[in-house]
Amino acid sequence: MSVQARIDSLKTRHATLDTRITEEDHRPQPDQDALNRLKLEKLRVKEEVERLSRGA
C-alpha cells in the first residue's frame, strides 16, 4: 500500500470515528468509556495521518 493510499484510508477511518462519536454523544445516556476510547483512537489516527503527511 502506498503512503498516499494509507493516508486516505486513515482519513476515512477518522471520519468514521467522528460519526461514531457524534452518534454516541447524542444517545440519551452516552457511554463515557466508549466515547473516551473512540476519541483516543481518533486522536491516534489523526497523529498517524500527520506523521505520514510530513514524511510523504
Side-chain angles (χ1 to χ4, degrees):
M1 178 182 284
S2 72
V3 173
Q4 188 58 50
R6 177 70 178 145
I7 290 171
D8 293 343
S9 174
L10 288 168
K11 285 181 178 180
T12 300
R13 178 73 179 141
H14 188 269
T16 300
L17 287 165
D18 193 45
T19 300
R20 289 180 60 199
I21 289 168
T22 301
E23 289 170 353
E24 183 64 37
D25 200 35
H26 286 87
R27 289 180 54 204
Q29 292 184 335
D31 181 341
Q32 290 303 316
D33 289 336
L35 277 173
N36 289 338
R37 284 191 303 273
L38 290 167
K39 288 178 180 180
L40 182 59
E41 184 176 353
K42 183 180 167 189
L43 179 60
R44 287 183 181 144
V45 168
K46 178 183 174 188
E47 289 172 345
E48 187 172 352
V49 167
E50 290 172 354
R51 182 183 60 79
L52 290 171
S53 295
R54 285 192 306 267

